Structure formats: structure tokens, C-alpha cells
Amino acid sequence: MASEREIVEARWAMAARDPRYFSRWFVFTLDSQAQERGESNPIRPWPARPHLDLLCGLWWHHPMLFVAKSRQMMVTWFASMISVWQILFRRGALVYQQSKRLEDAMGDEATGDGLLGRSKFILSHVPYRSWLLPRRVVVRSDSIQIPGMHSGIQAIAQGGDKIRSHTVTQLVSDETAFQPEFSAALTATMSSIRKGRFLGITTPDLTDGGASMRLALDMTDEEAIA
Amino acid sequence: MSAPIWIADAADRYRVDRPRVFGPGLRAKPTRRGVVVLDLHYSADPDGVTPELVVREMRRLGCEQRDDGTWSLSWRWLKEMELDWVAQSGAQVFDSLEQQEQHILEPAYYLRYEIPHDARPSDEARLIECEPGEVGPIRVWISPLDQPGNLPDGAYVQRSFGVGSDISEGVGASDSTVVVFTADTREHAAVFADNTIRPVDVGRVAVALCRYYNNALLCMVRKMHGISALREVLDLGYTRVWREKVQNRAVEYAAENYGWPKGEASSPQLFGRWQDALRHQQVTLHDAITLDQHRQYLYDEHGRISHSALRHLPVEVRQRHGDLVIGAALAYRAVIDLPKYQEYSHDTSPPELSMAWRRQQRELRRQRDRALPYGEVR
């Protein structure tokens, strides 16, 4: 019969091959409204929801993915989970996490807020982390780095100038429709990401001048104006 | 135990080479830019978004239940939950004002200004208080000498004020405005609006009002005619002018440029913060005209903020329209950089004939004695 350590390491090997197994066995999230619902523990295992599995599959097979979503669908948690998976299992992975302001992207680990805050939360709640995680993980206010894997996550503010001249493995942009400079960022993304990935997430809004809407509805600028 | 189906081996299951429905609330489609778009409606997650949660969110987002049990859906609900991109088209930008109690007041008094016809470049405008019953162009609700009501007995403060100014051409079209806000209570202190005054003269009036209001911090638009007014302000030797901030860092810091870089209402950096301040009731408007102007701002079909009277005009024309709302937003931008009070003093003299008073008198006598010339005795 396999020991506990052997089981965990076998699961970790499966997680390295498929992010769905990583989320199933090694990811915990924080529900900040659990207390209001009368639940004592706000830290929960990754929920087994069909839409998150589908999202994972679409993300894997379509490097350029844009998600127009209703609120509270756990898509930002998904983006953080997938970013952590990349830096843990893909050598040299550089993931940029972009929000309207740098503070929004940085978020807060303790409250599981923001893209990077959630990534830190996920990383610090991996079960058996002393067995599984690399010995050296450098966590800074605006980044996570794993020197042994040459991988890392960097939080950035909105704007195309933050992406140009960098070669990233993945750009995750959260609430793109609320980023007034998303149009410029999208142009920069299209040209800078050749073999990398783009994951845009937003609830509908027109603060970005309709750039996200045009992307979601597959309209050109001329068609939108007409 | 069956062998796992790895995600990498399930390409057919996730193929999106044409619009495809994966289940309730899950639609994906390819686009001409090579991006796959997934529409993720809340109905895709019945376990997470329960019917109770839906009803709670509907109420929270402004939907109203009719007597027959059906719902009148708000644009916020349609946008946030039903993925309707243009739901907010035609909606008021400052809709939160309709649901809040307003504090519209008649001005406490009026000021008028004088600028000599043969004014030299260094001549400021002169402010004159109007007689009771006389109406002047500057409406005042709070004088610079007014004290806030929550001070302890004997305390005296010199309040800080922020001044916002939007500049027009002065040919009878849109107004040039100068708006004053208190820094401690963040309420309207004074308002000036005129559509015939030249930009240079607005600079003079703004400097006079700033000096009147305890050397207030002036936040003025720099774009177009603003640069003329701003140059006049600096030529008059008034340097307490707000400087542009570098905002794409975790901590803002002041850039070298004076004034607000953009004047259009659609600038989210200006109006976004102002919308939040109004929504969370961090500011109090006393001016009925300013409140009315807020109601005229609507979202157009592309989500841009536009003035209702200008909706049919091109974007470039709309962007020049500003008036009191922009002035107020700029004044608010100035006051959030200010301390509440410039000076605080408290009369700590003890009650007469008390022990502390006697000690104080004795100390004062000693000080006076020490101050006498050598050899003289009191």
C-alpha cells in the first residue's frame, strides 16, 4: 500500500501535467463572505464546478482567450490558479497580471484580494508545501519569483507601455473593460505575444471606450461607430 | 481505476472553430482577431449563483419587483449579470445623486470682482463683498473665517480650501468656472461661472479667490485656454498651484507640470474619482446649478460620458464642454491633497483666580522682572 508521501507525490506529478488536477488537490480559495452566510471557515477547497473545468480546457487549447462574464463566477481565482500552476511547473514562465491600477493587481494575500494577492494565497495554502514547493520562493509586494525555475509572476498597472519590450509567457488582464487604456494594451499584446498566452477577463462595461465590447462582439472600430 | 483523460489530449472537446454552446450560460466563439471569446453567464454556475443570491443581487443592483411578482430590471443588473454591453447607454452618469438627500442652500452672500480696463500684467482682480440684497457673480456659502461646528471650546482653526477651475474661450459659449471647496468638510464654499470672461481674467479672478480663501490650492485645467489662465496665475506670483500626479505607481507623486492635463468630462481619472466621492457622499453640494448640471451628463451608446445637450455633436466638440461639474471635480481633486486645517490654536489660559492662573501670573511677573534693565527694581 502506498504511503501518504507517495500518494501526494503521484498527485503532484498529475497536477504538473494537468492544471485541473492541480486545482482539485492543491488549491484552496478564500471566501470573504463566508461569515455572513454563517460558515465558520472561509478557506475552502477549489470548487468542482463544470464551468471552471471548461474554462481550463479552453485556456489550454486557445492561447488567446477572452472571457466576458457575469459577476462572482470565480474567474479571477481561476486566472490566479493558472498563473501559479505555470510558474510552479513551467521552467522560465513569466506571467504578467494586469489590472487598472497597480494596487488592484497587487491586491492582498491575507484577504485573497487582487490577482497577485490570490496567487500568493494559493501558493501559501498548497497542502504539503514543505514536501512539494521549491525551497526558495521569493514573494515581494508586486511579484512572486521562483529562482530555481526561472519563473515568476509580476503585477502591472494598465497600459500598453507596460507590456511592450517584454516577452511574457502569459498576460492575464483582469476587468479589462474598466481599464481606460485597454485598447492600447490590446494592441501591444497582439504584437508582443507570439507564442505566449493572453487571458482577458471582464464584466461588461464601457470605461475602456468600448475596446472590450468590440473584442467580445467581434466588431471592428469602424463597425462599432457605424 | 480508469486512466485519466489529460487536458492536452482533449482538443476536440474544447475546439472552437465556429460559435459553440457548451451548456447553459456557456457560449464560445472564434473572432477575426484570433481570440476565442467565452460568454460566461451566471446560469452556468447554479451551485454558486443560487436563486437566493440572484434575488439579493437584483435588489442590490437596483431592480424593482412589481406587484405581480415580475421584475423591472436595472441597467446595472443587465450590465453586470446579463452581459449586456450597452445597458448603460442613456443612463445618468451621476445617478447616485437621485437617491441621496441634497443640501442645496441659498448663498450666504455674493462677491463681485473688479479688473481695471487698463490692467497691467501684474494687476490682480479685486474682490468686493456685495451689499445685502445685491447679487454678484461669485456665490459664497462659506466664508474663509467661518469655523467648523465640531471644534472644542476655545479652539480656532484656519481652514484649508481647494479651488478648481475650468477655462473656456469666453465668447458666450460654455462657462469658465472657479469652484471652491472646503478641505475639512468637503463642501461647496463658493462658485463662479461666466461665459464671457477672457481666460486671462479668469486667472486673475482665480488668484483673487485663492488669496481670499487662505491661499487655497488651485487646480486648473492646462489644456487649450487653460494654459493662458495658468500662465497668468503664475505671472501674478501665485505658486500654490496643483501639479500633475504620476498615477501609474503604487504611490502617486507630483510631476513637474502645473495644472490638470485634460479638461474633458470623459477623463476617467477626473470623473471616476468624482463619481466615487458623490456615490459615497464624501462631498456636499450647495449649488443648485451645479447639481442640475450633474443630471445632464449621460452615457452615450459607446459608454463615453457626454453632456445631454451635446449628444448629437462629434466627440471632439463634446470634450470641450465642461462647466461647473468639471470645476467641482477639480476642486475636489485639490482638497484631497490638503490637510484639513492650515493652523490650529487653542486658548489654554486657565480660569481666573485658579491655582494654575496664579502660577501663570507669577511666571509672567518673573519674566517681566528679568526683562528690566540692570539695576532697576520694580
Side-chain angles (χ1 to χ4, degrees), chain A residues 201-222:
Chain A
I201 304 164
T202 195
T203 309
D205 197 81
L206 297 167
T207 304
D208 62 351
S212 297
M213 178 184 77
R214 291 193 290 277
L215 182 61
L217 302 181
D218 197 16
M219 301 161 85
T220 61
D221 291 356
E222 292 75 30

Side-chain angles (χ1 to χ4, degrees), chain B residues 72-126:
Chain B
S72 162
L73 301 177
S74 69
W75 68 265
R76 285 183 196 283
W77 169 265
L78 293 171
K79 181 174 88 70
E80 301 278 336
M81 300 300 280
E82 300 289 348
L83 307 181
D84 183 348
W85 287 89
V86 290
Q88 75 192 88
S89 171
Q92 277 192 23
V93 174
F94 300 102
D95 58 344
S96 60
L97 287 171
E98 303 303 325
Q99 294 142 22
Q100 295 165 1
E101 187 190 351
Q102 298 302 323
H103 303 273
I104 300 303
L105 301 172
E106 284 295 312
Y109 61 96
Y110 291 87
L111 293 170
R112 60 190 164 86
Y113 64 91
E114 276 186 4
I115 300 172
H117 287 295
D118 55 347
R120 289 169 301 174
S122 58
D123 286 345
E124 289 182 19
R126 199 159 70 90

Side-chain angles (χ1 to χ4, degrees), chain B residues 94-267:
Chain B
F94 300 102
D95 58 344
S96 60
L97 287 171
E98 303 303 325
Q99 294 142 22
Q100 295 165 1
E101 187 190 351
Q102 298 302 323
H103 303 273
I104 300 303
L105 301 172
E106 284 295 312
Y109 61 96
Y110 291 87
L111 293 170
R112 60 190 164 86
Y113 64 91
E114 276 186 4
I115 300 172
H117 287 295
D118 55 347
R120 289 169 301 174
S122 58
D123 286 345
E124 289 182 19
R126 199 159 70 90
L127 293 183
I128 301 157
E129 203 168 307
C130 295
E131 297 296 324
E134 190 189 350
V135 174
I138 303 169
R139 305 187 289 279
V140 178
W141 287 269
I142 294 171
S143 119
L145 298 174
D146 284 346
Q147 294 291 298
N150 54 355
L151 292 180
D153 288 343
Y156 170 80
V157 293
Q158 190 178 48
R159 297 170 94 170
S160 300
F161 293 88
V163 174
S165 182
D166 185 30
I167 312 294
S168 76
E169 202 171 1
V171 293
S174 58
D175 281 330
S176 286
T177 57
V178 183
V179 179
V180 186
F181 266 77
T182 59
D184 54 344
T185 52
R186 296 184 178 177
E187 58 188 313
H188 257 142
V191 164
F192 166 74
D194 191 334
N195 63 358
T196 56
I197 186 170
R198 295 182 310 141
V200 171
D201 290 341
V202 182
R204 290 186 164 131
V205 173
V207 168
L209 263 173
C210 285
R211 293 204 197 282
Y212 182 75
Y213 278 100
N214 304 337
N215 287 327
L217 179 63
L218 173 63
C219 182
M220 185 175 261
V221 289
R222 193 172 65 223
K223 207 177 172 189
M224 297 178 71
H225 311 294
I227 195 69
S228 307
L230 198 53
R231 196 171 291 146
E232 181 66 17
V233 168
L234 297 172
D235 284 350
L236 288 171
Y238 194 79
T239 54
R240 215 151 174 250
V241 181
W242 189 86
R243 285 162 60 172
E244 190 182 342
K245 300 286 183 289
V246 177
Q247 300 193 341
N248 55 1
R249 297 284 186 276
V251 178
E252 287 186 349
Y253 62 89
E256 291 185 355
N257 299 332
Y258 284 107
W260 184 263
K262 296 172 185 174
E264 63 265 34
S266 55
S267 165

Side-chain angles (χ1 to χ4, degrees), chain B residues 12-63:
Chain B
D12 284 344
R13 195 170 157 195
Y14 300 108
R15 190 183 304 281
V16 183
D17 46 8
R18 58 189 161 72
R20 190 171 166 190
V21 177
F22 283 93
L26 288 165
R27 285 180 306 171
K29 59 175 177 284
T31 63
R32 285 172 283 181
R33 297 191 206 196
V35 178
V36 168
V37 174
L38 174 68
D39 286 340
L40 185 54
H41 187 257
Y42 67 88
S43 56
D45 184 19
D47 294 338
V49 187
T50 57
E52 297 79 37
L53 183 69
V54 169
V55 169
R56 202 168 63 224
E57 283 290 303
M58 284 175 106
R59 292 219 166 88
R60 211 171 60 78
L61 293 172
C63 301

Side-chain angles (χ1 to χ4, degrees), chain A residues 17-18 20-21 49 54 61-62 64 66 68-71 73 103 186 190 204-206 216 218 223-224, chain B residues 4-7 14 22 29 32-33 36-38 40-42 45 60 79-81 83 250 302-303:
Chain A
R17 199 168 163 187
D18 192 329
R20 292 174 304 175
Y21 293 111
R49 304 259 173 80
L54 174 76
H61 291 284
H62 302 285
M64 306 291 274
F66 185 78
K69 63 174 186 74
S70 303
R71 281 161 53 145
M73 300 296 286
E103 294 95 317
L186 186 63
M190 292 295 182
D205 197 81
L206 297 167
D218 197 16
E223 287 168 345
Chain B
I5 300 168
W6 302 108
I7 197 166
Y14 300 108
F22 283 93
K29 59 175 177 284
R32 285 172 283 181
R33 297 191 206 196
V36 168
V37 174
L38 174 68
L40 185 54
H41 187 257
Y42 67 88
D45 184 19
R60 211 171 60 78
K79 181 174 88 70
E80 301 278 336
M81 300 300 280
L83 307 181
H302 299 298

